[in-house]
Amino acid sequence: QKEVEQDPGPLSVPEGAIVSLNCTYSNSAFQYFMWYRQYSRKGPELLMYTYSSGNKEDGRFTAQVDKSSKYISLFIRDSQPSDSATYLCAMRGGGKLIFGQGTELSVKP
Amino acid sequence: EAGVAQSPRYKIIEKRQSVAFWCNPISGHATLYWYQQILGQGPKLLIQFQNNGVVDDSQLPKDRFSAERLKGVDSTLKIQPAKLEDSAVYLCASSRTIDSTNYGYTFGSGTRLTVV
């Protein structure tokens, strides 16, 4: 069983849609939860991070963590074509950063 | 601040040849990481340095991969001999410390390796 599981998609939505991206994990040692965005032929860039269970909002993005269920989500409101990218969840514990396999998102104008 | 620099951007080699990648982290970042990202997958950690010492190389295929970070600044990753399954993007990342307060790392744009 992989430590981090992420639905690879691809996911295609119309502009303005609400997007939900999800990851599950198995390692209870994970303490920090992150979402990275990766544009084509670029390295991942940190989008959001959370430490505890609950929600964290940043503009159109909301990160949600449920430690009891070992489940994290990223919601994108009013999605834009510029949001088209691969979204990677990542979890850190014990000095290691473990990534999910990424979900490819395409937002159509 | 300047980002993480990597070179070359692209490399095509034949199997059994050798190849080397270079990374220059953000100035002042003590921790440096090499990740391998196979197409359609998330990045996988190969090796982690703290200054010029190795912290974790448990997933580095040591029979063919080697890495060094002399003087605790820039780093090189080498593959010798390369196999077809080594085709991937090799990403370098750095962070201020192992327990970086921003909880994330800064990545370079990567080196795309194709082994034919």
Side-chain angles (χ1 to χ4, degrees):
Chain A
Q1 180 188 11
K2 291 183 179 179
E3 287 188 283
V4 180
E5 298 272 4
Q6 182 176 5
D7 184 344
L11 188 60
S12 182
V13 302
E15 183 176 355
I18 296 174
V19 176
S20 172
L21 305 168
N22 311 295
C23 287
T24 59
Y25 63 97
S26 58
N27 190 341
S28 299
F30 290 139
Q31 297 177 309
Y32 305 103
F33 305 90
M34 285 147 278
W35 287 94
Y36 280 79
R37 179 174 59 195
Q38 186 174 24
Y39 291 114
S40 180
R41 301 187 183 277
K42 295 289 187 182
E45 58 175 339
L46 181 64
L47 194 59
M48 294 188 71
Y49 69 87
T50 55
Y51 172 68
S52 56
S53 284
N55 294 350
K56 182 176 181 179
E57 192 172 313
D58 184 1
R60 296 183 295 109
F61 299 88
T62 300
Q64 192 174 78
V65 174
D66 182 348
K67 285 188 174 181
S68 62
S69 300
K70 294 188 176 65
Y71 187 87
I72 70 170
S73 299
L74 178 71
F75 299 96
I76 307 174
R77 290 184 301 279
D78 187 25
S79 55
Q80 302 295 308
S82 57
D83 296 329
S84 297
T86 295
Y87 289 80
L88 298 152
C89 64
M91 306 182 189
R92 195 164 81 85
K96 294 184 181 181
L97 186 65
I98 307 296
F99 286 87
Q101 66 184 107
T103 300
E104 185 181 351
L105 172 66
S106 177
V107 181
K108 305 294 187 185
Chain B
E1 60 182 4
V4 176
Q6 289 189 248
S7 67
R9 286 299 312 275
Y10 305 93
K11 192 74 177 179
I12 300 174
I13 62 171
E14 295 182 350
K15 58 184 178 183
R16 291 188 289 275
Q17 285 187 324
S18 63
V19 64
F21 313 128
W22 175 82
C23 171
N24 190 20
I26 291 174
S27 178
H29 280 196
T31 313
L32 184 147
Y33 315 80
W34 283 102
Y35 280 83
Q36 179 193 57
Q37 187 174 23
I38 293 172
L39 184 66
Q41 297 183 21
K44 183 185 83 171
L45 179 67
L46 292 176
I47 189 167
Q48 176 181 341
F49 291 94
Q50 178 70 9
N51 296 311
N52 60 347
V54 175
V55 174
D56 182 358
D57 63 356
S58 58
Q59 297 197 82
L60 187 73
K62 299 180 186 63
D63 58 334
R64 298 184 300 105
F65 286 65
S66 64
E68 61 182 11
R69 190 185 184 197
L70 300 176
K71 300 180 183 178
V73 182
D74 55 354
S75 175
T76 56
L77 176 69
K78 296 179 182 178
I79 307 174
Q80 182 179 16
K83 293 185 175 181
L84 296 177
E85 59 260 36
D86 297 332
S87 294
V89 175
Y90 290 85
L91 294 162
C92 179
S94 69
S95 64
R96 195 168 295 278
T97 65
I98 285 180
D99 296 315
S100 183
T101 53
N102 69 353
Y103 308 118
Y105 311 156
T106 302
F107 284 84
S109 293
T111 296
R112 185 176 298 270
L113 173 67
T114 302
V115 183
V116 298

